[in-house]
């Protein structure tokens, strides 16, 4: 049973240079100490919880991080047929990220939404150079070179390939420079030979048998494909040009977005009444809007067979305190009200926007209604 009661909103912002997790813990401790002095029936709730949002983004990155390592280990085992090479590739990812964090700290760059997105996207590109360098070191070891010599000679002979692989990664991330926010820089080329020397060992089977092994299985399929592409290089070039031309032709028909929208579980409703409206009329419109939001959410929840709405916070005669970084609070005006709507799932908010806009426009006559979902 939903109850509409008066409330006091307190906005607490973290100081620059602090950790969001520590900030969240301090807020919880303060609320716990204050709760003991308040009436038992008083409800304390967070309308907007930035620590929760940060935790969700970090958890998303960690899931992608673990998936990337697992995939790389699997591909390394298939391609190199040994655990040491797979371990070398797997270690290159956390080593790269650790160096990225170190340089970001030295340069005074914070981890923001953009940098987390960049880290997730770049996970698949971080092992380009380790694959090339690791394979080169392994070949030198198999040819009888000592470990230190192989660790130096292998990457040196493929220095041009490693250089162009590095340039490719840099060019791929140049678009980040034109966007707001800071993006991590990924530097790990120097440490791969060191890891290769420490981890890799020569094969115990003769080199001839190893070369014969490359003709079978996945490695053999890949080798035959590469040889076929080289033997028919003009046909492959023509096919690549055709694919490129098809992509250029289809480009204007595609919707463009550098990053997909990252929607929040919060949305807000702006209610504007005519300039000569009284505060009582604004309050009445806000009450009607509150009821419509709850009714629409309840109807939507029946289709989902679960509770959808978490809370509705109404501000009359002015906007809410800054509860979202990119959203500026509205100044106090008697003809303005704002509702902050919190749902249990951000996907529910996306589906609720259209029916909310339609229902509010129909049932709150004489008011200008704007319903928006917050985007990170």
């Amino acid at each position: 049973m939903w109850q509409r009661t008066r409330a006091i909103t307190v906005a607490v912002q973290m100081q620059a240079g602090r950790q969001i997790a520590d900030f969240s813990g301090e807020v919880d401790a303060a609320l716990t100490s204050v709760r003991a002095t308040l009436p038992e029936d008083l409800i304390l709730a967070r309308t907007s919880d930035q620590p929760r949002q940060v935790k969700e983004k970090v958890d998303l990155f960690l899931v992608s991080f673990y998936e990337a390592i697992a995939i790389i280990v699997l591909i390394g085992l298939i391609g190199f047929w040994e655990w040491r090479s797979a371990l070398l590739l797997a270690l290159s990812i956390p080593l790269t990220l650790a160096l990225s964090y170190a340089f970001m700290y030295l340069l005074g760059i914070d981890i923001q939404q953009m940098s987390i997105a960049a880290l997730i996207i770049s996970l698949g590109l971080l092992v380009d150079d380790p694959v090339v360098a690791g394979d080169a070191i392994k070949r030198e070891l198999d040819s009888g070179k000592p470990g230190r010599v192989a660790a130096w000679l292998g990457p040196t002979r493929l220095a041009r390939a490693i250089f162009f692989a590095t340039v490719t990664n840099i060019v791929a991330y140049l678009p980040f420079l034109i966007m707001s926010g800071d993006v991590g820089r990924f530097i790990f080329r120097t440490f791969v030979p060191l890891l290769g020397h420490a981890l890799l060992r020569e094969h115990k089977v003769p080199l001839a048998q190893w070369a014969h092994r490359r003709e079978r299985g996945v490695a053999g399929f890949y080798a035959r494909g590469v040889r076929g592409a080289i033997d028919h290089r003009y046909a492959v070039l023509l096919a690549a040009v055709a694919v490129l031309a098809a992509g250029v032709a289809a480009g204007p028909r595609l919707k463009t977005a550098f990053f997909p929208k990252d929607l929040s579980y919060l949305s807000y409703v702006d209610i504007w009444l005519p300039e000569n409206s009284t505060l009582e009329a604004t309050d009445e419109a806000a009450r009607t809007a509150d009821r419509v939001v709850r009714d629409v959410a309840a109807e939507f929840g029946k289709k989902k067979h679960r509770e959808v709405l978490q809370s509705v916070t109404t501000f009359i005669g002015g906007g809410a305190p800054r509860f979202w970084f990119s959203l500026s609070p509205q100044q106090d005006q008697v003809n303005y009200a704002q509702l902050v709507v919190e749902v249990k799932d951000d996907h529910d908010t996306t589906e609720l926007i259209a029916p909310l806009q339609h229902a509010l426009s129909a049932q709150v006559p004489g008011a200008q209604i704007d319903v928006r979902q917050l985007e990170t």
Side-chain angles (χ1 to χ4, degrees), residues 42-43 48 102 129 181:
L42 185 65
I43 299 175
S48 176
D129 285 358

Side-chain angles (χ1 to χ4, degrees), residues 131-271:
V131 168
V132 177
D135 186 61
I137 295 172
K138 193 63 181 176
R139 287 179 177 273
E140 296 299 329
L141 288 172
D142 288 341
S143 65
K145 301 291 193 306
R148 292 187 177 182
V149 176
W152 169 80
L153 188 60
T156 301
R157 288 185 174 179
L158 294 179
R160 181 176 298 179
I162 294 177
F163 170 76
F164 283 110
T166 305
V167 171
T168 300
N169 287 343
I170 293 175
V171 172
Y173 281 92
L174 284 179
F176 286 116
L177 298 178
I178 65 176
M179 303 188 68
S180 58
D182 299 312
V183 182
R185 278 77 173 173
F186 306 102
I187 305 174
F188 64 91
R189 323 302 173 188
T190 305
F191 290 87
V192 173
L194 179 61
L195 289 176
H197 169 64
L199 293 176
L200 299 182
R201 299 291 185 272
E202 67 277 7
H203 283 96
K204 297 180 180 180
V205 298
L207 186 60
Q209 293 185 22
W210 175 250
H212 178 68
R213 194 177 183 181
R214 287 288 183 128
E215 298 298 323
R216 296 181 300 172
V218 177
F221 176 79
Y222 176 78
R224 289 190 297 271
V226 172
R227 285 196 297 267
I230 295 176
D231 294 339
H232 304 86
R233 50 187 174 275
Y234 295 111
V236 173
L237 177 60
L238 182 61
V241 171
V243 172
L244 177 61
V248 172
R253 298 179 176 85
L254 299 177
K255 295 181 179 180
T256 58
F258 198 82
F259 282 110
K261 290 183 178 180
D262 190 5
L263 301 175
S264 171
Y265 52 86
L266 288 175
S267 61
Y268 64 94
V269 180
D270 284 338
I271 303 175

Side-chain angles (χ1 to χ4, degrees), residues 285-300:
R287 288 176 179 271
T288 303
D290 178 274
R291 176 182 54 80
V292 171
V293 169
R294 287 185 277 114
D295 291 344
V296 172
E299 186 66 26
F300 182 77

Side-chain angles (χ1 to χ4, degrees), residues 280-355:
E280 290 75 13
T282 305
D283 179 58
E284 183 62 29
R287 288 176 179 271
T288 303
D290 178 274
R291 176 182 54 80
V292 171
V293 169
R294 287 185 277 114
D295 291 344
V296 172
E299 186 66 26
F300 182 77
K302 291 180 181 178
K303 299 178 181 178
K304 296 289 186 177
H305 303 288
R306 56 182 172 81
E307 190 71 27
V308 172
L309 190 62
Q310 182 73 22
S311 66
V312 180
T313 308
T314 305
F315 300 87
I316 302 170
R322 184 183 292 273
F323 63 95
W324 201 257
F325 182 77
S326 59
L327 188 64
S328 299
Q330 290 286 347
Q331 296 181 350
D332 292 344
Q333 300 180 64
V334 296
N335 64 323
Y336 172 74
Q338 185 178 66
L339 279 67
V340 179
V341 182
E342 179 184 2
V343 297
K344 299 179 182 296
D345 193 310
D346 54 359
H347 298 292
D348 292 336
T349 310
T350 305
E351 299 181 44
L352 275 173
I353 292 297

